[in-house]
Amino acid sequence: MKKLIALLVSLVLTLTLASVAFADTVTIAIPNDPTNEGRALLLLQSAGYITLKEDAGITATVLDIAENPLGIQFVEAEAAMLPNLRADVDYAIINNNYALDAGLNPVEQGLLIESADSPYVNVVSVKEGNEEAPETKALVAALTSQQVVDFITNTYGGSAVATVAEPTDGYDATVDYDALNGTTIIVAGTPVPHVEVLNIAKDILAAKGITLDVRTVTDYVTPNLMLEAGDIFANYFAHQPYQDNFNAENDTHAVTVAGIHVEPMALYGGKQADLAALGTAAE
């Protein structure tokens, strides 16, 4: 009889502990903008935590989740706000420019991180019709220079990786730099790493008498609207899938003229310091 009672007590304790383990839903904050939400969900799918519908593409949302065995609760928020939300959720998947700006490094602090062959290359865009303008060529040559490649490699420690295959010396031999002397090129970018990279290009262009007026923005919508309105000549803040989707949804005309780097997206701890909450639930 005593053995039976002990067995029942043990069973009750086991069930109680199991219910406690599942009592609190795991919460993950993710970007709410097209492509970046899908990008975050694809990261979770690659780790085996969720399964998306077969036809879900890069613009997938939580409505495209086919299987969510852990019962993860997703908190969709503006990408720029995610670093501030970490304290209120278990985890947050944050775009790297906002992560770096908040003092987070995906290589050092990311609990999950995109693979090195990420297709989300950050690009320089101009408005349609300016692709062959001398200002565009001068800007592209500066941003695809060896100086910029070295700066990205030496500064960001893998949290941003240059994708320039054939770096320039900073200049384009087809451009008449004397004719551009005294010209101002206005470019918008998010703070880290884009504005920091633009400041390297700024010094390169200054040597030819060209002023690069760098405008800092803190969201993903404003720089494309500024470009469409003609308030800036170029922008450098987004990856290619985002730009393609933004053009399609807003009838804007941003054209990519160069890919500069990739920034791996990562999942960071909020209330949780490691993946144990996800791992326990998965078991």
Side-chain angles (χ1 to χ4, degrees):
M1 188 67 176
K2 289 183 178 180
K3 288 184 178 180
L4 180 58
I5 293 174
L7 180 61
L8 289 172
V9 170
S10 177
L11 180 59
V12 169
L13 286 173
T14 299
L15 292 173
T16 301
L17 289 173
S19 66
V20 170
F22 286 97
D24 296 326
T25 301
V26 175
T27 53
I28 301 180
I30 58 175
N32 65 0
D33 60 276
T35 72
N36 281 314
E37 180 166 358
R39 184 181 182 185
L41 294 174
L42 286 169
L43 176 61
L44 291 173
Q45 178 174 252
S46 70
Y49 293 122
I50 62 171
T51 301
L52 296 171
K53 297 175 183 176
E54 289 187 7
D55 59 348
I58 60 172
T59 57
T61 71
V62 293
L63 298 178
D64 294 302
I65 297 175
E67 297 179 19
N68 183 7
L70 311 181
I72 297 169
Q73 178 181 338
F74 291 95
V75 178
E76 300 165 279
E78 184 181 349
M81 297 301 299
L82 292 175
N84 296 330
L85 288 178
R86 287 175 62 219
D88 300 319
V89 295
D90 292 302
Y91 306 98
I93 300 179
I94 305 174
N95 288 79
N96 195 47
N97 60 305
Y98 293 127
L100 289 174
D101 202 34
L104 299 170
N105 185 308
V107 176
E108 297 174 357
Q109 294 154 291
L111 301 178
L112 291 175
I113 188 170
E114 283 179 332
S115 61
D117 60 351
S118 168
Y120 297 92
V121 177
N122 280 234
V123 297
V124 180
S125 300
V126 297
K127 191 172 181 180
E128 185 178 6
N130 286 332
E131 300 95 317
E132 297 299 321
E135 293 90 345
T136 299
K137 292 181 178 180
L139 177 62
V140 168
L143 283 172
T144 58
S145 66
Q146 188 65 54
Q147 297 98 305
V148 164
V149 170
D150 291 344
F151 175 78
I152 292 173
T153 301
N154 296 331
T155 303
Y156 301 112
S159 61
V161 180
T163 58
V164 179
E166 299 180 1
T168 72
D169 63 356
Y171 305 106
D172 185 328
T174 69
V175 172
D176 183 351
Y177 283 93
D178 289 336
L180 288 179
N181 194 318
T183 298
T184 296
I185 303 173
I186 305 175
V187 184
T190 45
V192 184
H194 304 89
V195 166
E196 294 177 349
V197 172
L198 285 167
N199 284 333
I200 303 301
K202 182 176 183 177
D203 292 339
I204 294 171
L205 293 172
K208 296 292 186 180
I210 302 168
T211 299
L212 189 62
D213 183 352
V214 180
R215 307 285 176 87
T216 300
V217 293
T218 57
D219 67 88
Y220 290 159
V221 175
T222 301
N224 276 338
L225 297 181
M226 292 172 70
L227 186 66
E228 185 70 16
D231 297 329
I232 58 175
F233 183 80
N235 64 37
Y236 172 43
F237 75 101
H239 54 66
Q240 188 63 60
Y242 179 87
Q243 289 295 63
D244 291 341
N245 186 76
F246 193 96
N247 280 338
E249 289 199 344
N250 298 280
D251 193 28
T252 49
H253 305 83
V255 178
T256 294
V257 289
I260 309 300
H261 73 281
V262 294
E263 301 174 26
M265 180 179 267
L267 177 143
Y268 299 89
K271 294 179 181 179
Q272 306 295 330
D274 53 37
L275 295 174
L278 288 170
T280 301
E283 293 171 2

